[in-house]
Amino acid sequence: GWQVSMKSGSLSYILPCNRLPVQLMSQVRVYTSNGQKKDLGSEDTNGSARGETLHKVETGQDTTNSGQKQSSPKQPIQVKVKAVLKKREYGPKYTQNNFITGVRAINEFCLKSSDLDQLRKIKRRSPHDDTETFTVYLRSDVEAKSLEVWGSPEALARERKRRKEAEIKYRENLFRNQRLLWEYKEFFGNTKPRSSTAAMFFKGPGKVVMVAICINGLNFFFKLLAWVYTGSASMFSEAIHSLADTCNQALLALGISQSARTPDPSHPYGFTNMRYIASLISGVGIFMMGAGLSWYHGIMGLLHPHPVESLLWAYCILAGSLVSEGATLLVAINEIRRSARAKGLSFYQYVVQSRDPSTNVVLLEDAAAVLSVAVAATCMGLTSLTGNPYYDSVGSLGVGTLLGTVSAFLIYTNTEALLGRSIEPEQLQRLTELLESDPVVRAIHDVKATDMGMSKVRFKAEVDFDGRVVTRSYLEKQDIEQLLQEIQQVKTLEELEAFMLKHGENIIDTLGAEVDRLEKDLKQRNPDVRHVDLEIL
């Protein structure tokens, strides 16, 4: 663009809009875009003459009248130019300001730890709860160092390919060695101390499941003998019921052991849902194996009735089953009461919400077992008194219906848990109020709190932060006098840009620290909150 600076002089010109005479300037400075300047001074008499001639022609008046005109006051015309920083084009991919950790630099760029000692080390705020700061490196420095070590990008790519092949070979050898070690343990015995996974079965839900496996296994054995001796359809249903309970609880034990596995890159949130999966399969197994066979045997008894032998031994075994199943039921009830009291929930809420799926399965299976023993004993008693085998078959159908109801409840509750349901509205309201009451937060939107199972909650919200409060929090930690001196030293656009970049980055770090503080407060308010995602609007 052109920038023109004018000073008033003796040259007059008539504006075309209102044809009023105005004094223009005799000195004109023309600045071109390449910085060249031209001065048109008052010495240019030809220009003045041409201006006067132009004035005469346009006004149509005599030159004698020009002396009678009153000259206007000399006022300079000022043109304001807005200073704007040049916009930087970063392109579709810009990694010059990226920070990477030392482990990533060694793995991705094939460097040694000694190579990193020569690079610039930068302390940044740590994303982990156990450390405040950690050391990172500029990606551009790491890339330059890798090219210096390997000579060219092609050589670096070849080294990466070689290491990838070596890693695949190492994994294959590791799998082979683990298999050999397992065979060695099978042959010589395992002399390692008891692991934490094994210790899980001596307390809490693991203990309840192991007790249920032992008792239901014994019940199945004795009920099977009673059915073989008496041929009772109700006793057959009870034997199948105990077998189904034993298998399902063994599946629950497998789910408990798998849920204790540590998270890996493929499963970053862990394996806690394995308990719900095992309980879901257990519910399906109860329906197919327990209820299905009981219904089948009861229907066959109605279609083809046959006399029942002496039921004395069957009554004795049912009485023993009632005592053993009742003992397991009491163990499950006590465990659920203790866990519900710790969570501040009622017994019913804890069971319906399926907070502990393994214990819930044991509770419902043993409750169904106690009721089914009562149903089977009643129907067998009616058969003994009346001699009618149809009562016994009806008892088998009743046991199958009871098992089907339990399995349907287990399938529903575990499916709801696996789908990812929200936490209680009261808990969500407390977490929301904690965020909204903080001075750094203006508003929160799109709040989600998902129960991931086994007392693990994932909280997500979009937060509108108050930039003034964040900036004030940053200024409270600064030396104001020194900051004023830095401001006074700013004279050029480059110095202003450097000042703003320095303190702008520090303010962003302050915002990150505020986000970390809010996440920590949320976890302290509700210990079940394990993962917090706060998105900045």
Side-chain angles (χ1 to χ4, degrees):
W2 294 84
Q3 299 180 3
V4 183
S5 175
M6 302 179 181
K7 293 184 179 178
S8 61
S10 59
L11 179 62
S12 63
Y13 183 76
I14 300 301
L15 295 178
C17 59
N18 51 14
R19 304 184 63 83
L20 292 177
V22 179
Q23 297 291 333
L24 293 184
M25 48 206 72
S26 61
Q27 184 179 2
V28 179
R29 293 180 182 177
V30 180
Y31 294 85
T32 62
S33 59
N34 56 6
Q36 297 178 356
K37 179 176 70 174
K38 296 182 181 180
D39 292 339
L40 304 178
S42 59
E43 301 84 12
D44 192 355
T45 57
N46 295 330
S48 299
R50 286 194 298 269
E52 293 176 359
T53 305
L54 179 62
H55 171 68
K56 293 178 182 179
V57 171
E58 292 188 359
T59 58
Q61 299 177 354
D62 190 81
T63 56
T64 58
N65 296 331
S66 62
Q68 300 177 359
K69 297 179 180 179
Q70 297 180 357
S71 62
S72 61
K74 301 179 180 180
Q75 295 180 355
I77 300 177
Q78 298 180 354
V79 179
K80 294 183 179 180
V81 179
K82 184 178 180 181
V84 180
L85 288 176
K86 182 180 179 181
K87 184 179 180 181
R88 296 187 179 182
E89 297 294 339
Y90 294 101
K93 183 178 180 181
Y94 183 79
T95 59
Q96 298 302 315
N97 60 344
N98 287 4
F99 292 143
I100 61 175
T101 61
V103 175
R104 184 180 174 187
I106 293 174
N107 293 334
E108 293 188 10
F109 295 93
C110 305
L111 297 177
K112 299 178 181 178
S113 57
S114 58
D115 297 331
L116 301 179
D117 296 337
Q118 307 171 11
L119 303 180
R120 289 178 291 177
K121 299 179 177 63
I122 303 171
K123 293 290 185 180
R124 299 296 295 175
R125 193 168 42 84
S126 174
H128 308 290
D129 297 334
D130 53 349
T131 56
E132 294 183 358
T133 60
F134 72 134
T135 303
V136 293
Y137 303 88
L138 271 174
R139 183 187 181 98
S140 57
D141 294 347
V142 175
E143 290 178 348
K145 187 63 179 179
S146 64
L147 292 179
E148 177 185 346
V149 171
W150 295 104
S152 65
E154 292 76 13
L156 178 60
R158 288 194 298 268
E159 178 63 19
R160 286 175 176 173
K161 182 179 179 181
R162 187 191 66 81
R163 293 193 179 190
K164 186 67 176 179
E165 294 174 352
E167 182 182 358
I168 295 175
K169 186 176 181 181
Y170 169 77
R171 290 180 179 178
E172 293 176 354
N173 293 334
L174 180 63
F175 175 76
R176 189 180 301 109
N177 293 334
Q178 287 178 346
R179 184 174 181 180
L180 292 175
L181 183 62
W182 180 78
E183 293 178 356
Y184 172 84
K185 291 177 181 179
E186 288 291 323
F187 184 76
F188 292 100
N190 189 0
T191 57
K192 290 178 62 177
R194 181 177 295 139
S195 63
S196 58
T197 303
M200 294 178 59
F201 294 101
F202 293 89
K203 61 180 180 179
K207 178 181 177 181
V208 176
V209 171
M210 294 305 297
V211 170
I213 288 176
C214 296
I215 292 179
N216 285 320
L218 291 176
N219 288 339
F220 165 70
F221 177 73
F222 288 112
K223 288 177 181 179
L224 184 64
L225 292 179
W227 171 70
V228 172
Y229 180 74
T230 61
S232 170
S234 298
M235 186 55 64
F236 175 80
S237 298
E238 281 298 308
I240 294 300
H241 183 185
S242 298
L243 176 61
D245 290 348
T246 304
C247 295
N248 291 329
Q249 286 150 9
L251 184 62
L252 294 178
L254 178 62
I256 292 175
S257 63
Q258 291 296 315
S259 65
R261 295 169 57 187
T262 56
D264 56 24
S266 300
H267 305 84
Y269 291 106
F271 298 86
T272 54
N273 283 338
M274 281 300 300
R275 295 196 182 189
Y276 292 97
I277 295 174
S279 300
L280 178 62
I281 298 175
S282 177
V284 176
I286 293 174
F287 183 81
M288 295 180 61
M289 190 173 179
L293 288 178
S294 297
W295 284 332
Y296 171 78
H297 207 74
I299 293 173
M300 293 303 294
L302 292 176
L303 296 178
H304 308 286
H306 58 84
V308 180
E309 303 295 334
S310 176
L311 300 177
L312 177 62
W313 287 104
Y315 291 140
C316 295
I317 292 175
L318 286 178
S321 297
L322 182 63
V323 173
S324 60
E325 297 285 0
T328 308
L329 179 62
L330 289 177
V331 173
I333 290 175
N334 292 332
E335 178 63 25
I336 290 180
R337 282 180 176 175
R338 183 186 64 81
S339 301
R341 192 181 305 111
K343 297 294 181 182
L345 300 174
S346 64
F347 185 89
Y348 174 77
Q349 289 177 336
Y350 192 88
V351 173
V352 171
Q353 295 176 11
S354 189
R355 293 286 180 173
D356 187 354
S358 303
T359 308
N360 278 1
V361 172
V362 175
L363 171 71
L364 296 176
E365 285 184 347
D366 289 339
V370 172
L371 293 177
S372 63
V373 166
V375 171
T378 301
C379 292
M380 290 170 61
L382 291 175
T383 300
S384 299
L385 292 176
T386 61
N388 188 353
Y390 286 108
Y391 290 109
D392 187 56
S393 300
V394 172
S396 180
L397 294 176
V399 171
T401 303
L402 185 60
L403 293 178
T405 304
V406 171
S407 65
F409 179 79
L410 291 176
I411 291 172
Y412 172 76
T413 56
N414 287 283
T415 301
E416 287 291 314
L418 288 173
L419 288 176
R421 60 194 171 194
S422 178
I423 62 176
E424 292 297 317
E426 294 79 8
Q427 298 179 1
L428 184 60
Q429 182 66 24
R430 287 196 296 267
L431 296 177
T432 303
E433 291 177 354
L434 175 64
L435 287 179
E436 290 180 337
S437 61
D438 197 279
V440 80
V441 176
R442 281 177 173 165
I444 57 175
H445 310 278
D446 194 21
V447 180
K448 296 183 178 68
T450 306
D451 188 354
M452 301 174 60
M454 299 308 300
S455 301
K456 290 185 178 181
V457 176
R458 181 178 180 181
F459 182 85
K460 177 261 179 185
E462 295 186 1
V463 184
D464 185 5
F465 285 91
D466 191 339
R468 297 171 298 177
V469 177
V470 175
T471 305
R472 189 175 294 111
S473 176
Y474 168 71
L475 293 176
E476 291 173 354
K477 302 175 184 177
Q478 305 301 314
D479 187 352
I480 300 300
E481 294 183 358
Q482 182 180 359
L483 191 60
L484 287 175
Q485 292 177 1
E486 292 181 8
I487 295 175
Q488 294 172 358
Q489 293 175 0
V490 174
K491 303 298 182 183
T492 63
L493 292 179
E494 290 75 12
E495 293 176 352
L496 176 62
E497 181 182 7
F499 176 82
M500 295 299 297
L501 290 177
K502 171 187 174 182
H503 293 282
E505 183 175 6
N506 294 337
I507 291 175
I508 293 299
D509 290 339
T510 304
L511 177 59
E514 294 293 337
V515 172
D516 292 342
R517 179 182 61 81
L518 291 176
E519 292 178 352
K520 186 177 181 180
D521 293 344
L522 287 172
K523 293 178 181 179
Q524 289 179 350
R525 175 64 64 89
N526 190 344
D528 291 343
V529 177
R530 304 293 180 88
H531 308 282
V532 181
D533 300 326
L534 298 181
E535 300 180 2
I536 302 175
L537 284 179

